[in-house]
């Protein structure tokens, strides 16, 4: 197995090279900017290509060692792509709103996840004994919790790496990850800063096609890492008839997450388009 292949042409067609208007730039991104076209900063894809490759390799290695990756993208353009890629690669995601303390106060988040499971069980049984008003209230609360925590309900503890779309919008998530020493892979646009990002990917973080490309490549790299992990365990992936990687990793990932103990309590954090 090998890392997913991509070309400079693919990046160009997805609009990865388009930054923001030059007056909105972050000087710390100057190293990654090729020039200006029609008042828009153009990112240097000759740097994006090797950095994206490094990020994919890091994700693959993390998963090959049994690690978990959390996809983070709460902006409208990223929500569907982030959820689809995470689910396809048996990983986890937050695409609704980052809740302060998601990483640094995992014990509290775990309690909310347990509450969601209780609501699911109660409503799944028909909500017997509840009035119509009580049932509606429970359904509303269930919907809110599912939107916020549905993508991490099976994670079982803090992830080993996070992959972020839009570092400006997801600044709190990055801060929490850095506080816990969790490596960060992130797309950094011309109005962002690469500071504090372990594996920066200079590129457009607004265009839906670009976001989908990043997520698809990341999912493929993760699946490749999981295939290596399964191979090391003696699983004959080639002998499996249909969707060998996806089905196998789905079976392996869940027990691993459940077996790992939740981390010790940490100090809670505050909850906190191109033009």
């Amino acid at each position: 197995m090998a890392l997913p292949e991509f070309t400079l042409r693919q990046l160009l067609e997805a609009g990865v090279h388009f930054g923001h208007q030059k007056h909105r730039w972050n000087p710390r991104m100057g190293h990654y900017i090729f020039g200006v076209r029609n008042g828009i900063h153009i990112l240097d894809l000759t740097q994006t290509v090797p950095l994206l490759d490094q990020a994919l390799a890091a994700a693959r290695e993390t998963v090959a060692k049994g690690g978990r990756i959390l996809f983070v993208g709460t902006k409208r353009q990223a929500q569907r792509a982030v959820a689809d890629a995470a689910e396809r690669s048996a990983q986890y995601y937050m695409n609704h709103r980052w809740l302060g303390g998601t990483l640094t106060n995992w014990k509290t988040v775990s309690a909310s996840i347990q509450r969601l499971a209780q609501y699911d069980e109660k409503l799944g049984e028909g909500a017997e004994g509840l009035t119509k008003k009580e049932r509606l209230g429970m359904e509303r609360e269930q919907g809110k919790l599912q939107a916020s925590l549905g993508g991490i309900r099976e994670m079982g503890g803090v992830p080993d790496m996070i992959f972020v779309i839009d570092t400006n919008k997801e600044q709190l998530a990055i801060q929490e990850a850095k506080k816990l020493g969790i490596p960060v892979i992130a797309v950094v646009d011309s109005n962002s800063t690469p500071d504090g990002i372990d594996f920066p990917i200079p590129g457009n973080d607004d265009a839906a096609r670009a976001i989908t490309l990043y997520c698809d490549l990341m999912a493929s790299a993760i699946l490749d890492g999981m295939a290596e992990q399964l191979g090391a365990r003696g699983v004959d992936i080639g002998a499996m008839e249909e969707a060998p990687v996806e089905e196998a990793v789905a079976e392996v990932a869940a027990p691993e997450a459940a077996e790992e103990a939740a981390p010790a309590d940490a100090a809670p954090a505050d909850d906190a388009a191109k033009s």
Side-chain angles (χ1 to χ4, degrees):
M1 303 288 287
L3 284 173
E5 296 183 358
F6 60 92
T7 65
L8 190 65
R9 183 181 182 85
Q10 282 179 288
L11 300 184
L12 284 167
E13 291 177 346
V16 171
H17 57 302
F18 289 120
H20 286 263
Q21 291 185 344
K22 62 180 183 179
H23 68 271
R24 296 184 58 194
W25 79 311
N26 187 319
R28 294 183 182 277
M29 283 295 291
H31 176 67
Y32 301 113
I33 293 175
F34 175 78
V36 178
R37 183 187 304 166
N38 298 325
I40 301 293
H41 271 133
I42 303 300
L43 295 164
D44 185 359
L45 294 187
T46 63
Q47 295 189 67
T48 299
V49 169
L51 288 171
L52 176 54
D53 195 60
Q54 289 174 24
L56 296 175
R60 179 188 184 281
E61 182 179 358
T62 295
V63 175
K65 294 178 178 178
R68 298 164 296 192
I69 296 180
L70 175 63
F71 286 62
V72 183
T74 62
K75 64 198 305 178
R76 177 184 54 79
Q77 306 97 303
Q79 290 176 345
R80 186 69 265 164
V82 160
D84 288 346
E87 290 173 354
R88 180 163 70 89
S89 57
Q91 298 303 306
Y92 313 93
Y93 66 91
M94 290 199 75
N95 69 342
H96 181 65
R97 181 174 72 89
W98 184 267
L99 301 178
T102 295
L103 300 180
T104 53
N105 195 11
W106 179 255
K107 183 177 181 180
T108 298
V109 172
S110 295
S112 295
I113 291 174
Q114 291 175 5
R115 191 162 70 252
L116 173 59
Q118 292 169 358
Y119 287 155
D120 288 345
E121 181 179 1
K122 184 70 174 178
L123 292 171
E125 295 173 349
E128 296 182 5
L130 297 180
T131 64
K132 183 177 181 179
K133 182 178 180 180
E134 289 173 335
R135 179 186 179 116
L136 288 173
M138 184 175 290
E139 288 176 342
R140 282 196 294 270
E141 184 65 17
Q142 179 196 40
K144 291 179 181 178
L145 288 173
Q146 177 61 32
S148 299
L149 304 173
I152 62 171
R153 62 185 301 169
E154 303 296 334
M155 194 161 65
V158 296
D160 299 280
M161 176 177 281
I162 69 172
F163 168 54
V164 175
I165 302 293
D166 195 335
T167 58
N168 290 335
K169 186 171 180 59
E170 314 302 345
Q171 187 175 19
L172 182 55
I174 294 171
Q175 290 175 349
E176 292 191 27
K178 299 311 294 181
K179 184 174 183 179
L180 297 180
I182 298 172
V184 178
I185 296 174
V187 178
V188 287
D189 209 329
S190 63
N191 67 333
S192 307
T193 174
D195 293 354
I197 306 302
D198 299 279
F199 300 95
I201 304 171
N204 186 315
D205 64 9
D206 292 299
R209 289 183 65 185
I211 293 171
T212 298
L213 177 60
Y214 305 137
C215 290
D216 285 347
L217 289 172
M218 189 61 60
S220 295
I222 290 170
L223 287 170
D224 186 71
M226 285 191 148
E228 179 180 321
Q229 180 191 13
L230 291 170
R233 294 184 176 190
V235 177
D236 187 359
I237 299 175
M240 300 179 70
E241 294 182 356
E242 295 182 359
V245 179
E246 288 88 340
E247 291 181 3
V249 298
E251 293 178 2
V252 173
E256 283 188 345
E259 289 173 2
E260 294 186 15
D265 293 353
D270 291 335
D271 198 359
K274 295 189 188 298
S275 58

